[in-house]
Amino acid sequence: SLSRRGAATWLATGLTIEESQISLSRDVKRLRRHPTDIQLLRVAQLRDKLQTRITSFLKMVPAYLGFEVDDNDLDSPVDNIHDSPEDYSDIDDPDHHPDPETHDTSIFQPELTIIPLPSNLGMARCKALDLMDLMKEEITLCEGQANDALHAIRVHLGDKAVIFRNTVQSAKSQASSTRAWTQVCLVETAMNLNARIYSQCRLQLAKLPDHDLLEKYLPLKKEHLKASAAVADPNAHGQRDATLAWFWYIDVQGDTSGDDWMTECKYPPHPVI
């Protein structure tokens, strides 16, 4: 129905907002103890843009949840514990160690806002508000989100392996080696973001009922995100018995293709800010 499709679109918007929060939180964390004015300005602009999206999302809450949520008081109707996905930061920047004294003094931090999705409302409140159907739709969308993130991670790992084989190892000078490693870092940054999005998706699924998806979507560990020759060329000599991470053996493209209303909820490329 049109109402169901509208709800699916609204839920998908909430999930992409959470992806943007993950991306912005990472950017803030990577600020040094004394960030430049340009860095601070960029973060401020991203926060303004994110807050605009959150405010727009909250305006539709009464239509789908049956109650109003004020963006200045989001903790009251939802769980006040903001789960944090695993940090893969040392993967995309192995030489960066955030200063323990680095603090973000801004009071305006929309990246920490809890988005009032069914998974964040909790089972008891969703039952009381008759939102169990909405929970089921969030499960399907989370499955699609997990598939998208894992597909992106596999692509990034393949790119990284090829760069190592074709560019890093063949670099003939310091300048060419530096350029090659810059390419590797760019790929790892994108992969890190998708890994955090996938980790957040698992946290959401853990709060949603009546599914066994956590048996399929296993925890993503840092060692799973290391490129290998088997990724670049699984048919190469000596790679027949190489063990790939679990996510190489699942279908991340066909699992949700049969859901008719999923077609309107295609996630935009990451990052979505």
Side-chain angles (χ1 to χ4, degrees):
S1 66
L2 290 177
S3 60
R4 186 184 179 195
R5 289 181 179 273
T9 300
W10 179 75
L11 288 171
T13 300
L15 293 177
T16 58
I17 288 174
E18 288 190 332
E19 292 180 2
S20 296
Q21 290 178 308
I22 292 172
S23 177
L24 181 52
S25 294
R26 184 195 60 177
D27 290 344
V28 171
K29 182 177 180 180
R30 288 164 65 92
L31 292 177
R32 301 286 184 170
R33 184 177 181 182
H34 301 290
T36 66
D37 290 341
I38 292 178
Q39 289 174 321
L40 292 175
L41 177 60
R42 178 179 179 274
V43 168
Q45 291 173 334
L46 291 174
R47 280 175 166 163
D48 284 340
K49 188 173 182 179
L50 178 58
Q51 183 59 52
T52 298
R53 294 174 60 199
I54 292 174
T55 299
S56 177
F57 179 81
L58 294 180
K59 289 180 180 178
M60 299 302 295
V61 166
Y64 298 110
L65 300 186
F67 61 88
E68 294 187 4
V69 175
D70 188 280
D71 56 0
N72 294 318
D73 186 28
L74 270 177
D75 286 348
S76 57
V78 299
D79 293 339
N80 58 10
I81 299 177
H82 198 289
D83 292 316
S84 178
E86 183 172 350
D87 185 10
Y88 303 90
S89 57
D90 64 335
I91 293 172
D92 69 288
D93 191 355
D95 296 324
H96 175 65
H97 300 282
D99 190 323
E101 297 186 38
T102 298
H103 297 289
D104 181 17
T105 58
S106 174
I107 298 176
F108 177 54
Q109 297 178 302
E111 67 272 19
L112 301 181
T113 297
I114 302 172
I115 305 303
L117 295 167
S119 55
N120 291 330
L121 291 173
M123 174 78 77
R125 190 169 180 85
C126 283
K127 282 186 176 181
L129 295 170
D130 194 23
L131 299 176
M132 299 307 292
D133 285 343
L134 211 59
M135 273 194 145
K136 293 178 182 178
E137 293 192 2
E138 186 180 355
I139 291 171
T140 303
L141 287 171
C142 281
E143 183 179 10
Q145 184 185 38
N147 286 341
D148 288 347
L150 290 176
H151 175 71
I153 289 169
R154 297 199 311 200
V155 171
H156 295 320
L157 280 172
D159 289 343
K160 182 180 174 182
V162 170
I163 292 172
F164 266 116
R165 185 184 63 184
N166 296 344
T167 307
V168 174
Q169 295 178 353
S170 62
K172 303 298 184 182
S173 66
Q174 182 65 39
S176 60
S177 178
T178 299
R179 286 193 297 270
W181 279 105
T182 297
Q183 294 180 45
V184 172
C185 288
L186 289 173
V187 172
E188 288 185 332
T189 296
M191 183 170 61
N192 169 33
L193 177 58
N194 281 284
R196 287 180 61 83
I197 288 172
Y198 173 79
S199 180
Q200 174 64 32
C201 185
R202 284 195 87 254
L203 290 174
Q204 300 289 97
L205 284 171
K207 295 185 287 187
L208 293 165
D210 302 327
H211 67 83
D212 57 1
L213 292 175
L214 293 181
E215 297 178 10
K216 172 183 176 181
Y217 298 107
L218 303 177
L220 192 62
K221 300 180 181 179
K222 292 180 180 180
E223 54 264 32
H224 294 153
L225 303 181
K226 297 184 182 299
S228 67
V231 172
D233 186 2
N235 296 316
H237 177 70
Q239 302 304 325
R240 181 183 299 267
D241 297 324
T243 301
L244 295 173
W246 59 266
F247 52 79
W248 290 98
Y249 301 100
I250 64 174
D251 179 8
V252 298
Q253 294 181 315
D255 291 329
T256 55
S257 60
D259 293 292
D260 56 349
W261 55 274
M262 278 291 290
T263 57
E264 69 161 335
C265 302
K266 297 299 183 184
Y267 291 95
H270 310 311
V272 292
I273 287 183

Coordinates of all heavy atoms in Angstrom, one line a residue, residues 28-35 96-106:
V28 N 34.9 14.1 13.3 CA 35.1 14.9 14.6 C 36.3 14.2 15.4 O 37.1 14.8 15.9 CB 33.9 15.0 15.4 CG1 34.2 15.6 16.8 CG2 32.8 15.8 14.7
K29 N 36.2 12.9 15.4 CA 37.2 12.1 16.2 C 38.6 12.3 15.6 O 39.6 12.3 16.4 CB 36.8 10.6 16.2 CG 37.8 9.8 17.1 CD 37.3 8.3 17.1 CE 38.3 7.5 18.0 NZ 37.9 6.1 18.0
R30 N 38.7 12.5 14.3 CA 40.0 12.6 13.7 C 40.6 14.0 13.8 O 41.7 14.2 13.4 CB 39.9 12.2 12.2 CG 39.6 10.7 12.0 CD 39.1 10.4 10.6 NE 40.1 10.8 9.6 CZ 41.0 9.9 9.1 NH1 41.1 8.7 9.5 NH2 41.8 10.3 8.2
L31 N 39.9 14.9 14.4 CA 40.4 16.3 14.6 C 41.6 16.2 15.6 O 41.5 15.5 16.6 CB 39.3 17.2 15.1 CG 38.2 17.6 14.2 CD1 37.2 18.5 14.9 CD2 38.7 18.3 12.9
R32 N 42.6 16.9 15.4 CA 43.7 17.0 16.3 C 43.3 17.9 17.5 O 42.3 18.5 17.6 CB 44.9 17.6 15.6 CG 45.4 16.8 14.3 CD 46.1 15.5 14.7 NE 46.6 14.8 13.5 CZ 47.4 13.8 13.6 NH1 47.8 13.3 14.8 NH2 47.8 13.2 12.5
R33 N 44.3 18.0 18.4 CA 44.0 18.8 19.6 C 43.8 20.2 19.3 O 43.0 20.9 19.9 CB 45.2 18.6 20.6 CG 45.0 19.3 21.9 CD 46.2 19.1 22.8 NE 46.0 19.7 24.1 CZ 46.9 19.7 25.1 NH1 48.0 19.1 24.9 NH2 46.6 20.3 26.2
H34 N 44.5 20.7 18.2 CA 44.4 22.1 17.8 C 43.9 22.1 16.3 O 44.7 22.4 15.4 CB 45.7 22.8 18.0 CG 46.2 22.8 19.4 ND1 45.5 23.5 20.4 CD2 47.2 22.2 20.0 CE1 46.2 23.4 21.5 NE2 47.2 22.6 21.3
P35 N 42.6 21.9 16.1 CA 42.2 21.9 14.7 C 42.2 23.2 14.0 O 42.2 24.3 14.7 CB 40.7 21.4 14.8 CG 40.3 21.8 16.2 CD 41.6 21.6 17.0
H96 N 47.7 7.4 12.5 CA 47.0 8.4 13.3 C 46.6 7.9 14.6 O 45.9 6.9 14.7 CB 45.8 8.9 12.5 CG 45.0 9.9 13.3 ND1 45.4 11.1 13.7 CD2 43.7 9.8 13.8 CE1 44.5 11.8 14.3 NE2 43.4 11.0 14.5
H97 N 47.1 8.5 15.7 CA 46.7 8.2 17.0 C 46.0 9.4 17.7 O 46.8 10.3 18.0 CB 47.9 7.7 17.8 CG 48.5 6.5 17.2 ND1 48.0 5.2 17.3 CD2 49.7 6.4 16.5 CE1 48.8 4.4 16.7 NE2 49.8 5.1 16.2
P98 N 44.7 9.5 17.8 CA 44.1 10.7 18.3 C 44.6 11.1 19.6 O 44.9 10.2 20.5 CB 42.6 10.3 18.4 CG 42.4 9.1 17.4 CD 43.8 8.4 17.4
D99 N 44.8 12.3 19.8 CA 45.3 12.9 21.1 C 44.3 12.6 22.1 O 43.1 13.0 22.0 CB 45.6 14.4 20.9 CG 46.3 15.0 22.1 OD1 46.1 14.5 23.2 OD2 47.2 15.9 21.9
P100 N 44.7 12.0 23.2 CA 43.7 11.7 24.3 C 43.1 12.9 24.9 O 42.1 12.9 25.5 CB 44.5 10.9 25.3 CG 45.9 11.2 25.1 CD 46.0 11.4 23.6
E101 N 43.8 14.1 24.7 CA 43.3 15.3 25.2 C 42.4 16.1 24.2 O 42.0 17.2 24.5 CB 44.4 16.2 25.7 CG 45.2 15.6 26.9 CD 46.2 16.6 27.4 OE1 45.9 17.8 27.5 OE2 47.3 16.2 27.7
T102 N 42.2 15.4 23.1 CA 41.3 16.1 22.1 C 39.9 16.1 22.5 O 39.3 15.0 22.9 CB 41.4 15.3 20.7 OG1 42.8 15.4 20.2 CG2 40.5 16.0 19.7
H103 N 39.3 17.2 22.6 CA 37.9 17.3 23.0 C 37.1 18.2 22.0 O 37.6 19.2 21.6 CB 37.8 17.9 24.4 CG 38.5 17.1 25.5 ND1 38.0 15.9 25.9 CD2 39.6 17.3 26.2 CE1 38.7 15.4 26.8 NE2 39.8 16.2 27.0
D104 N 35.9 17.8 21.8 CA 35.0 18.7 20.9 C 34.2 19.4 21.9 O 33.3 18.9 22.6 CB 34.2 17.8 20.0 CG 33.3 18.6 19.1 OD1 33.5 19.8 19.0 OD2 32.3 18.1 18.6
T105 N 34.4 20.7 22.0 CA 33.7 21.6 23.0 C 32.4 22.1 22.5 O 31.7 22.8 23.3 CB 34.6 22.8 23.4 OG1 34.9 23.5 22.2 CG2 35.9 22.3 24.0
S106 N 32.0 21.7 21.3 CA 30.7 22.2 20.8 C 29.5 21.6 21.5 O 29.5 20.4 21.7 CB 30.6 21.9 19.3 OG 29.3 22.3 18.8

